[in-house]
């Protein structure tokens, strides 16, 4: 499977990783991605732990594969991802991926997520997590978010809150992301839909640990996203 | 004469002078001075002549003067909270832009560390 993505395509693919207080989890994520031959744009979201130091240490191992940008203060996953999407344009990418840096996503899925872009089948991809593997509260919150995304943004997708997504640079140029927090996931899907960008859903694996469960879409976050969705209607 | 009939007009005068001073320093607009002056004049009137509130209340179809004062306070508080919300929202957006631009202009390289 891995061989199907040419090295040339891998070299022009950049993975955007927003990172907030991920010092204990981020190292294997970065190493896995770098070993697969992909480039990375790391955005440290004003972490209060030594996330930035850990990223720098990994950069020493893979100096050409990692580009680091750092927000002075914590502004949320939306702003960090926006920063990554803007920063990545400096490196003339063809394909841009964004994924979580807490180890929830597997670098093994990168090839499959990129494939529809490389073959031209789609210009945007969302990695769909299996809801049956999620803890019940998480699965419930994500199901609610799918319904809300359908109601507010009129888009029907299997996983509206996935943080694993890929897009071509041409398509990225067409969309406009303004969300500051977790709303970014729904907003990305809305923008893809509103701009008639052909997109595909690719099943991905999700690695749940007590640490990865502490972040992401729980009922509280779902309620916050709902408020932001209502606000965005005006 | 009750004590509040003295205290509220004094607070009102201080508040109005404060708003006028801020206007001359360019810190708030003329409309803000006018609106807040009207508010504090009404507060003073209610304090000195409590029956005035009943007259205002009848004007709006409210039977008791005190009810009118309470509703007025709620309206002012709601307006203030809403205005603060918009100010904070605008500031948040400005901070986001600033923090993002700073990060984009300063890619972190390992050379920086060695220096």
């Amino acid at each position: 499977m891995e061989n199907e993505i040419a090295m040339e395509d891998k070299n022009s693919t950049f993975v955007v990783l927003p990172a907030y207080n991920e010092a204990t989890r981020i190292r294997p994520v970065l190493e896995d991605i770098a070993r697969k031959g992909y480039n990375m744009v790391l955005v440290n979201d004003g972490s209060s732990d030594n996330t930035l130091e850990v990223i720098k240490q990994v950069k020493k191992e893979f100096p050409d594969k990692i580009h680091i940008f750092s927000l002075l203060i914590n502004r949320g996953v939306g702003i960090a991802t926006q920063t990554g999407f803007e920063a990545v344009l400096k490196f003339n990418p063809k394909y841009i991926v964004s994924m979580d840096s807490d180890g929830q996503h597997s670098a093994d899925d990168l090839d499959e997520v990129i494939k529809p872009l490389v073959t031209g089948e789609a210009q945007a991809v969302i990695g769909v997590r299996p809801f049956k593997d999620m803890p019940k509260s998480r699965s419930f919150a994500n199901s609610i978010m799918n319904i809300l995304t359908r109601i507010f943004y009129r888009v029907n997708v299997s996983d509206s809150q996935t943080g694993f997504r890929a897009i071509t640079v041409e398509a990225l140029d067409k969309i406009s992301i303004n969300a500051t927090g977790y709303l970014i996931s729904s907003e990305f899907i809305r923008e893809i839909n509103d701009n008639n960008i052909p997109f595909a859903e690719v099943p991905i694996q999700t690695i749940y640990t007590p640490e990865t469960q502490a972040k992401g879409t729980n009922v509280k976050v779902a309620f916050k996203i709902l408020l932001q969705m209502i606000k965005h209607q005006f | 004469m009750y004590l509040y009939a003295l205290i509220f007009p004094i607070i009102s005068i201080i508040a109005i002078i404060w708003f006028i001073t801020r206007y001359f320093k360019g810190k708030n607009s003329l409309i803000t001075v006018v609106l807040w002056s009207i508010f504090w004049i009404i507060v003073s009137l209610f304090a000195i002549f409590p029956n005035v509130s009943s007259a205002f209340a009848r004007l709006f179809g409210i039977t008791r003067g005190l009810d009118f004062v309470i509703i007025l306070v709620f309206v002012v508080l709601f307006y203030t909270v809403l205005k603060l919300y918009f100010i904070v929202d605008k500031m948040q957006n400005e901070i986001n832009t600033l923090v993002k631009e700073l990060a984009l202009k300063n890619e972190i390289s390992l050379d920086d560390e060695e220096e």
Side-chain angles (χ1 to χ4, degrees), chain A residues 52-53 56 59-60 67-73 75 79 82-83 86-87 90-91 180 231, chain B residues 85 89 91-93 95-97 99-110 113-114:
Chain A
L52 187 58
E53 298 313 312
K56 282 180 184 172
K59 186 177 164 70
K60 281 178 189 163
H67 302 277
I68 311 170
F69 296 85
S70 186
L71 303 180
L72 286 175
I73 47 174
R75 299 314 293 163
I79 295 294
Q82 282 181 43
T83 309
E86 283 183 42
K90 296 178 184 199
F91 310 110
T180 56
K231 191 180 152 192
Chain B
Y85 171 79
D89 201 43
M91 280 173 70
Q92 289 274 19
N93 286 335
I95 292 169
N96 287 341
T97 310
V99 170
K100 207 162 75 174
E101 289 302 317
L102 274 171
L104 287 170
K105 282 186 180 148
N106 297 293
E107 184 184 348
I108 294 171
S109 70
L110 296 175
E113 212 175 45
E114 282 157 16

Side-chain angles (χ1 to χ4, degrees), chain B residues 54-69:
Chain B
S54 301
F56 271 99
R58 279 195 297 278
L59 195 71
F60 289 96
I62 301 160
T63 48
R64 286 197 317 162
L66 186 65
D67 289 348
F68 175 74
V69 173

